[in-house]
Amino acid sequence: MFEITINYDTCDADQECINACPAQVYDEGEDGKPVIARPEDCLGCETCVEVCPTGSITVQEV
Ligand code: SF4
């Protein structure tokens, strides 16, 4: 199980995480920012962490 945290103060709604996640964990929110829609599907690959241009995502094994 992985815990995903998004810092919405620094997120610029680039949507790189939405596009890159191999498990479709994220949906697009009304403001264009990612919503963690399916956290239980997270693989812990940290692709979203790597592609985020503003460093707004952390993924931790819990
Ligand atoms: S760690 Fe991998 S599987 Fe989990 S949300 Fe990020 S890109 Fe998706």
Side-chain angles (χ1 to χ4, degrees):
M1 185 80 189
F2 296 92
E3 185 177 76
I4 304 162
T5 306
I6 299 175
N7 183 343
Y8 286 105
D9 291 334
T10 56
C11 173
D12 276 343
D14 298 287
Q15 303 191 354
E16 299 287 345
C17 57
I18 298 174
N19 295 325
C21 176
Q24 285 87 49
V25 166
Y26 300 106
D27 280 346
E28 180 185 338
E30 283 182 20
D31 56 1
K33 296 185 179 185
V35 172
I36 307 167
R38 287 164 291 279
E40 68 277 10
D41 290 347
C42 177
L43 308 166
C45 65
E46 299 201 7
T47 300
C48 55
V49 176
E50 287 162 23
V51 298
C52 178
T54 59
S56 299
I57 306 177
T58 58
V59 177
Q60 246 185 327
E61 192 160 13
V62 288

